[in-house]
Every structure is written in C-alpha cells, then in structure tokens.
Amino acid sequence: MGKLDGKTAIVSGSGRGIGRAIALKLAGEGANVVVNDLDTDPANAVVEEITKAGGNAVVCAGSVTAEGFGERFVGTATSEFGGLDIIINNAGYTWDSVIQKMTDEQWDAILDVHLKAPFRILRAAQPVISKAAKAEKEAGTRVYRKVVNISSVAGLTGNPGQVNYSSAKAAIIGMTKTLCKEWGRYNVNVNAVAFGFIETRLTSAAADGNSTIEIEGREIKVGVNPGLLAAAEMMIPLGRPGTPDEAAGAVAMLTYPEADYVSGQLLVAGGGFEA
C-alpha cells in the first residue's frame, strides 16, 4: 500500500530533472501522474518508466505559459483519472542578467513561467476542487488535497543577476500563503518548497561558459562556473549540492497524509544553506 494510492497528481516540468524525480516518487507511492514537459519525448520516457514499474501515468506536453494550458492540464487529470488531488507547480528555468542589461523579454519570460503559469493552473483547478469538496462534505467525508509550489532560496535572499527569477520565486511564496487561506475550506493544504543548490542540467558546471538549452525558440545560457560551484559548496553546511531525488523527497512528503495539518508553510531544502 502506497501513501498516495488512488490519488491523482499533475506535475509541471516533469520530463527531466527535479520534476521527473517528483513524478517518479509520487507514482512510486501509488499516485496516478500527469507528466508535463515542453517536449513530448522526455515526457513519454517518464510515463514509460512509471508504467513499467506498475504505475499509472499519462502525458500532457506543451508550454505551461501557453494560453489555455492550465485548463488542458487539469482536464487531462479529470478525463484520464477521474479527479485531481495533488498539484505540483515545478516547471521553470533561469535567464540571467544584471538589471541594467535585462530586457523586458527576459523579465516577462521568467515571470510568466514561474508565476503566471502556476496562477493559471491553480485557477483552472479551483472549480474541480470546490465541486469535489462540496460533494465530500455532503457525503460526510473529508478528503485532503495538496498543492506544492516550487520556490528557491533566491526568492528569500536574492541572487545577483537574477532579479527576474528572485522576484518570481518570492512572489510564489505570497501566492502559497494566500491560497492556503482561500482553499482551507476545501481541505486543501497549500505549501511551498524553496530549493537551494540542486544538481540538474540547469546548474551543472559549465567550464567553457557556453552551455545553452533551447526554450521555446530561445537559446538560454545555463550552467554554473566551476569556481562559483566550489564556493557555493563551501557555504552549504552539508558540504554538497542536493540531488533531484532529495529535492523530490522534500516535495513528496508534503503530499503525504502525515502533512494533512500542515499548510501555508515554506520548507527550505538547501542542505542548511539559506543566505
């Protein structure tokens, strides 16, 4: 018996990295999972991994910033699995510049993916959640649902070159605390996890400084200079970056029944590093 048997989860940005680890962990506890990625192939690969292990999963590919995506994401959960119990707003990337060099396009792109997209997904989920909660109340039952929004230590203390990302990650904390108050009447626990330094393709060392990924037609520079990476490791009390599986564990435990009375909280998964 898994902790999430019979539950249905949607996890944005779950074709790779931390999102993939979250999807696998929730599925391993028995949840049906809707896997999302910009690209179909990585999403399909995660679904295949889940189904081969005996779990249930389907793909909802596409950009979380696209018009109508929130409704399609939520609709996939309800049409394929008959409901929605867990929402993980994880999708995102960084596009860095100091403020005097940051363009409106950079600002808007990062705010859209890290803030507007979660807002739209949660807005689309509200009618489904409120209808289910009303039916459960009339039946005399209480079912807890979970929202976990992904923030960052950059949203707590700022980070040079990331005024867009830091602003979005700070704002998602405000969204979390507000939704905790709005959705408590539906028995929904709304929490956030702020990651510290987690090793993914977006943070891996880039010795040549030229590592990029393509996001919706844009070439985005990624990676961390090895010197900065070494300095960061020295500042982490546990002495190392976290792994995607460790990041996923921090998220997953907030979806378990043991967290039914935890809401409106921010959990920092940073190996002791917060500033």
Side-chain angles (χ1 to χ4, degrees):
M1 294 288 291
K3 292 179 181 290
L4 303 176
D5 283 349
K7 304 291 187 181
T8 294
I10 58 176
V11 185
S12 68
S14 49
R16 302 176 175 90
I18 295 170
R20 170 184 171 274
I22 294 170
L24 293 175
K25 193 168 289 289
L26 299 185
E29 287 290 350
N32 309 311
V33 181
V34 180
V35 177
N36 160 256
D37 195 87
L38 264 175
D39 305 312
T40 302
D41 288 348
N44 280 333
V46 175
V47 167
E48 183 177 359
E49 194 170 353
I50 289 171
T51 55
K52 280 187 175 179
N56 298 311
V58 295
V59 170
C60 182
S63 173
V64 295
T65 65
E67 194 75 30
F69 175 81
E71 287 77 10
R72 183 162 65 88
F73 202 21
V74 171
T76 301
T78 56
S79 64
E80 294 289 335
F81 299 118
L84 177 60
D85 304 282
I86 298 166
I87 301 170
I88 311 295
N89 282 307
N90 167 78
Y93 60 98
T94 56
W95 192 3
D96 299 348
S97 287
V98 290
I99 192 167
Q100 67 269 25
K101 295 181 180 179
M102 183 168 291
T103 65
D104 285 356
E105 182 186 12
Q106 280 177 281
W107 173 268
D108 290 342
I110 296 305
L111 269 289
D112 282 352
V113 72
H114 289 284
L115 189 61
K116 184 186 283 186
F119 159 71
R120 286 174 165 176
I121 290 167
L122 293 166
R123 182 176 63 184
Q126 192 279 340
V128 174
I129 289 172
S130 62
K131 181 179 179 180
K134 181 179 179 181
E136 288 150 7
K137 184 176 181 180
E138 291 175 351
T141 60
R142 179 179 292 167
V143 176
Y144 286 93
R145 291 177 173 82
K146 315 289 184 179
V147 174
V148 183
N149 295 317
I150 303 305
S151 184
S152 167
V153 294
L156 301 178
T157 61
N159 200 33
Q162 292 189 325
V163 66
N164 51 0
Y165 180 74
S166 297
S167 297
K169 289 306 189 183
I172 201 73
I173 297 170
M175 184 184 294
T176 297
K177 292 183 177 294
T178 298
L179 263 292
C180 158
K181 293 175 170 62
E182 289 190 12
W183 285 11
R185 59 184 173 148
Y186 304 137
N187 298 314
V188 179
N189 306 103
V190 187
N191 294 291
V193 174
F195 294 137
F197 204 114
I198 308 296
E199 286 188 323
T200 70
R201 66 180 181 137
L202 300 182
T203 59
S204 59
D208 60 6
N210 294 318
S211 297
T212 63
I213 59 172
E214 183 177 327
I215 303 287
E216 299 187 273
R218 305 181 181 103
E219 285 292 323
I220 308 295
K221 186 177 178 180
V222 297
V224 178
N225 180 280
L228 292 176
L229 177 59
E233 289 178 349
M234 290 179 63
M235 297 174 68
I236 300 169
L238 288 184
R240 60 174 178 82
T243 68
D245 283 345
E246 289 170 329
V251 174
M253 67 184 186
L254 289 172
T255 70
Y256 295 160
E258 289 87 341
D260 281 353
Y261 203 63
V262 178
S263 199
Q265 301 305 302
L266 173 67
L267 172 65
V268 178
F273 174 76
E274 292 189 36

